[in-house]
Coordinates of all heavy atoms in Angstrom, one line a residue:
E33 N -0.3 29.9 -28.5 CA 0.4 29.2 -29.6 C 1.1 30.4 -30.4 O 0.7 31.6 -30.3 CB -0.6 28.6 -30.5 CG -1.3 27.4 -30.0 CD -2.2 26.7 -31.1 OE1 -2.7 27.4 -31.9 OE2 -2.5 25.5 -30.9
P34 N 2.0 30.2 -31.1 CA 2.8 31.1 -31.9 C 1.8 31.9 -32.9 O 0.9 31.2 -33.4 CB 3.8 30.4 -32.7 CG 4.0 29.0 -32.0 CD 2.7 28.8 -31.2
A35 N 1.9 33.0 -33.0 CA 1.0 33.9 -33.8 C 0.8 33.3 -35.2 O -0.2 33.4 -35.9 CB 1.4 35.3 -33.9
G36 N 1.9 32.7 -35.8 CA 1.9 32.3 -37.2 C 1.3 30.9 -37.4 O 1.1 30.6 -38.5
K37 N 1.0 30.2 -36.3 CA 0.5 28.8 -36.4 C -0.9 28.8 -37.1 O -1.1 28.0 -38.0 CB 0.5 28.1 -35.1 CG 0.1 26.7 -35.2 CD 0.1 25.9 -33.9 CE -0.3 24.6 -34.1 NZ -0.3 23.7 -32.9
A38 N -1.7 29.6 -36.6 CA -3.1 29.5 -37.2 C -3.1 29.8 -38.7 O -3.7 29.1 -39.5 CB -4.0 30.6 -36.5
P39 N -2.5 31.0 -39.2 CA -2.4 31.2 -40.6 C -1.7 30.2 -41.4 O -2.1 29.7 -42.5 CB -1.8 32.5 -40.8 CG -1.4 33.0 -39.5 CD -2.0 32.1 -38.4
Y40 N -0.6 29.6 -40.8 CA 0.0 28.4 -41.5 C -0.9 27.3 -41.6 O -0.9 26.7 -42.7 CB 1.3 28.1 -40.6 CG 2.1 26.9 -41.3 CD1 3.1 27.1 -42.2 CD2 1.8 25.6 -40.9 CE1 3.8 26.1 -42.7 CE2 2.5 24.6 -41.5 CZ 3.3 24.7 -42.4 OH 4.0 23.7 -43.0
T41 N -1.6 27.0 -40.5 CA -2.4 25.8 -40.5 C -3.5 25.9 -41.6 O -3.8 25.0 -42.4 CB -3.0 25.5 -39.2 OG1 -2.0 25.3 -38.2 CG2 -4.0 24.5 -39.2
E42 N -4.1 27.2 -41.6 CA -5.2 27.4 -42.6 C -4.6 27.5 -44.1 O -5.3 26.9 -45.0 CB -5.7 28.8 -42.3 CG -6.9 29.2 -43.2 CD -7.5 30.6 -42.9 OE1 -7.2 31.0 -41.8 OE2 -8.2 31.1 -43.8
L43 N -3.6 28.1 -44.4 CA -3.2 28.3 -45.7 C -1.9 27.6 -46.3 O -1.8 27.5 -47.5 CB -3.0 29.8 -45.9 CG -4.0 30.8 -45.7 CD1 -3.6 32.2 -45.6 CD2 -5.1 30.6 -46.7
C44 N -1.1 27.0 -45.4 CA 0.2 26.5 -45.8 C 0.2 24.9 -45.7 O 1.0 24.3 -46.4 CB 1.3 27.2 -45.0 SG 1.4 28.9 -45.2
K45 N -0.4 24.4 -44.7 CA -0.1 23.0 -44.3 C -0.7 22.1 -45.4 O 0.0 20.9 -45.4 CB -0.7 22.8 -42.9 CG -2.2 22.2 -42.9 CD -2.6 21.7 -41.7 CE -4.0 21.1 -41.8 NZ -4.5 20.5 -40.7
R46 N -1.6 22.4 -46.2 CA -2.1 21.5 -47.2 C -0.9 21.1 -48.1 O -0.8 19.9 -48.5 CB -3.2 22.2 -48.0 CG -3.7 21.2 -49.1 CD -4.8 21.9 -49.9 NE -4.5 23.1 -50.6 CZ -5.2 24.2 -50.4 NH1 -6.1 24.3 -49.5 NH2 -4.8 25.4 -50.9
C47 N 0.0 22.0 -48.4 CA 1.1 21.7 -49.3 C 2.4 21.5 -48.6 O 3.3 20.6 -49.0 CB 1.5 22.9 -50.2 SG 0.1 23.2 -51.5
H48 N 2.7 22.2 -47.4 CA 3.9 22.1 -46.7 C 3.9 21.1 -45.5 O 4.8 20.9 -44.9 CB 4.3 23.4 -46.2 CG 4.8 24.4 -47.4 ND1 6.0 24.2 -48.0 CD2 4.2 25.3 -47.9 CE1 6.1 25.1 -49.0 NE2 4.9 25.7 -49.0
G49 N 2.7 20.6 -45.2 CA 2.6 19.6 -44.1 C 2.4 20.3 -42.8 O 2.8 21.5 -42.7
V50 N 2.0 19.5 -41.8 CA 1.7 20.1 -40.4 C 3.1 20.6 -39.8 O 3.1 21.7 -39.2 CB 1.1 19.1 -39.4 CG1 1.0 19.5 -38.1 CG2 -0.3 18.7 -40.1
R51 N 4.1 19.8 -40.0 CA 5.4 20.0 -39.4 C 6.4 20.4 -40.4 O 7.6 20.3 -40.1 CB 5.8 18.8 -38.5 CG 4.9 18.7 -37.3 CD 5.5 17.7 -36.3 NE 4.8 17.7 -35.1 CZ 4.2 16.7 -34.7 NH1 4.1 15.5 -35.3 NH2 3.4 16.8 -33.6
G52 N 6.0 20.8 -41.6 CA 7.0 21.2 -42.6 C 7.5 20.1 -43.6 O 8.3 20.4 -44.6
T53 N 6.8 19.0 -43.4 CA 7.2 17.9 -44.4 C 5.9 17.7 -45.4 O 4.8 17.3 -45.0 CB 7.4 16.5 -43.6 OG1 8.5 16.8 -42.8 CG2 7.8 15.4 -44.7
P54 N 6.1 18.0 -46.7 CA 5.1 17.9 -47.7 C 4.5 16.5 -47.7 O 5.3 15.6 -47.6 CB 5.7 18.4 -48.9 CG 6.9 19.1 -48.6 CD 7.3 18.5 -47.3
P55 N 3.2 16.3 -47.8 CA 2.6 15.0 -48.0 C 3.1 14.4 -49.3 O 3.3 15.2 -50.3 CB 1.1 15.2 -47.9 CG 0.9 16.6 -47.4 CD 2.2 17.4 -47.7
P56 N 3.2 13.1 -49.3 CA 3.6 12.4 -50.6 C 2.7 12.8 -51.8 O 3.2 13.0 -53.0 CB 3.5 10.9 -50.4 CG 3.8 10.9 -48.8 CD 3.1 12.2 -48.3
S57 N 1.3 13.0 -51.6 CA 0.4 13.2 -52.6 C 0.8 14.7 -53.2 O 0.7 14.8 -54.4 CB -1.0 13.2 -52.2 OG -1.2 14.2 -51.1
V58 N 1.3 15.6 -52.5 CA 1.6 17.0 -52.9 C 2.9 16.7 -53.7 O 3.2 17.4 -54.8 CB 1.7 17.8 -51.8 CG1 2.4 19.2 -52.2 CG2 0.4 18.2 -51.1
L59 N 3.9 16.0 -53.2 CA 5.2 15.9 -53.8 C 5.1 15.2 -55.3 O 5.9 15.4 -56.1 CB 6.1 15.1 -52.9 CG 6.7 15.8 -51.7 CD1 7.4 14.9 -50.9 CD2 7.5 17.0 -52.0
K60 N 4.1 14.5 -55.4 CA 3.9 13.9 -56.8 C 3.4 14.9 -57.8 O 3.7 14.8 -59.0 CB 2.7 12.7 -56.7 CG 3.2 11.5 -56.0 CD 2.0 10.5 -55.9 CE 2.4 9.3 -55.2 NZ 1.4 8.4 -55.0
K61 N 2.8 16.0 -57.4 CA 2.2 17.0 -58.2 C 3.2 18.2 -58.4 O 3.1 18.9 -59.4 CB 0.9 17.5 -57.7 CG -0.2 16.4 -57.6 CD -1.5 17.0 -57.0 CE -2.5 16.0 -56.7 NZ -3.5 16.5 -55.9
M62 N 3.9 18.5 -57.4 CA 4.7 19.7 -57.5 C 5.9 19.6 -56.6 O 6.0 18.8 -55.7 CB 3.9 20.9 -57.2 CG 3.4 20.9 -55.7 SD 2.3 22.4 -55.4 CE 0.7 21.6 -55.3
K63 N 7.0 20.5 -56.8 CA 8.2 20.5 -56.1 C 8.0 21.5 -54.9 O 7.8 22.6 -55.0 CB 9.3 21.0 -56.9 CG 10.7 20.9 -56.2 CD 11.7 21.4 -57.0 CE 13.0 21.2 -56.4 NZ 14.2 21.7 -57.2
V64 N 7.9 20.9 -53.7 CA 7.7 21.7 -52.4 C 8.8 21.4 -51.5 O 9.0 20.2 -51.2 CB 6.2 21.3 -51.8 CG1 6.1 22.1 -50.5 CG2 5.1 21.5 -52.7
P65 N 9.4 22.4 -51.0 CA 10.5 22.2 -50.1 C 10.1 21.7 -48.7 O 9.0 22.0 -48.3 CB 11.3 23.5 -50.0 CG 10.2 24.5 -50.2 CD 9.2 23.9 -51.2
T66 N 10.9 20.8 -48.2 CA 10.7 20.4 -46.8 C 11.2 21.5 -45.9 O 12.3 22.0 -46.2 CB 11.4 19.1 -46.5 OG1 10.9 18.1 -47.2 CG2 11.3 18.7 -45.0
I67 N 10.5 21.9 -44.9 CA 11.1 22.9 -44.0 C 11.8 22.3 -42.8 O 11.3 21.6 -42.0 CB 9.8 23.7 -43.4 CG1 9.1 24.3 -44.5 CG2 10.3 24.6 -42.4 CD1 7.8 24.9 -44.2
D68 N 13.1 22.3 -43.1 CA 14.0 21.7 -42.1 C 15.2 22.6 -41.8 O 15.2 23.8 -42.2 CB 14.4 20.3 -42.6 CG 15.1 20.3 -44.0 OD1 15.5 21.4 -44.4 OD2 15.4 19.3 -44.5
A69 N 16.3 22.2 -41.0 CA 17.4 23.0 -40.8 C 18.0 23.5 -42.0 O 18.4 24.7 -42.0 CB 18.4 22.2 -40.0
S70 N 18.2 22.7 -43.1 CA 18.8 23.2 -44.2 C 18.1 24.3 -45.0 O 18.5 25.2 -45.5 CB 19.2 22.2 -45.3 OG 18.1 21.5 -45.7
F71 N 16.7 24.1 -44.8 CA 15.8 25.2 -45.4 C 15.9 26.6 -44.8 O 16.2 27.7 -45.4 CB 14.3 24.7 -45.4 CG 13.3 25.7 -45.9 CD1 13.0 25.7 -47.1 CD2 12.7 26.6 -45.0 CE1 12.0 26.5 -47.6 CE2 11.8 27.6 -45.4 CZ 11.4 27.5 -46.8
V72 N 15.9 26.6 -43.4 CA 16.0 27.9 -42.8 C 17.4 28.4 -42.7 O 17.6 29.5 -42.5 CB 15.4 27.8 -41.2 CG1 13.9 27.5 -41.3 CG2 16.1 26.8 -40.4
A73 N 18.4 27.5 -42.9 CA 19.8 28.0 -43.0 C 20.1 28.9 -44.1 O 20.9 29.7 -44.1 CB 20.8 26.8 -42.9
T74 N 19.3 28.6 -45.2 CA 19.5 29.4 -46.3 C 18.4 30.4 -46.7 O 18.3 31.1 -47.7 CB 19.6 28.5 -47.6 OG1 18.3 27.6 -47.7 CG2 20.7 27.6 -47.6
R75 N 17.5 30.6 -45.7 CA 16.4 31.6 -45.9 C 16.1 32.3 -44.6 O 15.9 31.8 -43.6 CB 15.1 30.8 -46.3 CG 15.2 30.2 -47.7 CD 14.1 29.2 -47.8 NE 14.1 28.5 -49.1 CZ 14.9 27.4 -49.5 NH1 15.5 26.9 -48.4 NH2 14.8 26.9 -50.7
S76 N 16.1 33.6 -44.8 CA 15.8 34.5 -43.7 C 14.3 34.6 -43.6 O 13.6 34.3 -44.5 CB 16.5 35.9 -43.8 OG 15.8 36.5 -44.9
A77 N 13.9 35.2 -42.4 CA 12.4 35.5 -42.3 C 11.9 36.5 -43.3 O 10.9 36.3 -43.9 CB 12.1 36.1 -40.9
D78 N 12.9 37.4 -43.7 CA 12.6 38.4 -44.8 C 12.4 37.7 -46.1 O 11.5 38.0 -46.9 CB 13.6 39.5 -44.9 CG 13.7 40.4 -43.7 OD1 12.6 40.5 -43.0 OD2 14.7 41.0 -43.4
S79 N 13.3 36.7 -46.4 CA 13.1 36.1 -47.7 C 11.8 35.3 -47.8 O 11.1 35.1 -48.8 CB 14.3 35.3 -48.0 OG 14.4 34.2 -47.2
I80 N 11.4 34.6 -46.6 CA 10.1 33.9 -46.6 C 9.0 34.9 -46.8 O 8.0 34.6 -47.5 CB 10.0 33.1 -45.3 CG1 11.1 32.0 -45.2 CG2 8.7 32.4 -45.1 CD1 11.3 31.4 -43.9
V81 N 9.1 36.0 -46.2 CA 7.9 36.9 -46.3 C 7.8 37.4 -47.7 O 6.8 37.5 -48.4 CB 8.2 38.3 -45.4 CG1 7.3 39.4 -45.9 CG2 8.0 37.8 -44.0

Side-chain angles (χ1 to χ4, degrees):
E33 291 185 338
K37 183 177 182 178
Y40 176 90
T41 300
E42 180 184 342
L43 300 169
C44 309
K45 89 169 186 179
R46 180 176 60 235
C47 295
H48 292 281
V50 174
R51 293 194 172 115
T53 302
S57 60
V58 171
L59 290 173
K60 287 179 184 177
K61 298 176 188 174
M62 61 185 109
K63 186 177 179 182
V64 179
T66 297
I67 300 168
D68 57 12
S70 64
F71 178 89
V72 298
T74 58
R75 292 165 183 89
S76 66
D78 289 339
S79 69
I80 296 169
V81 168

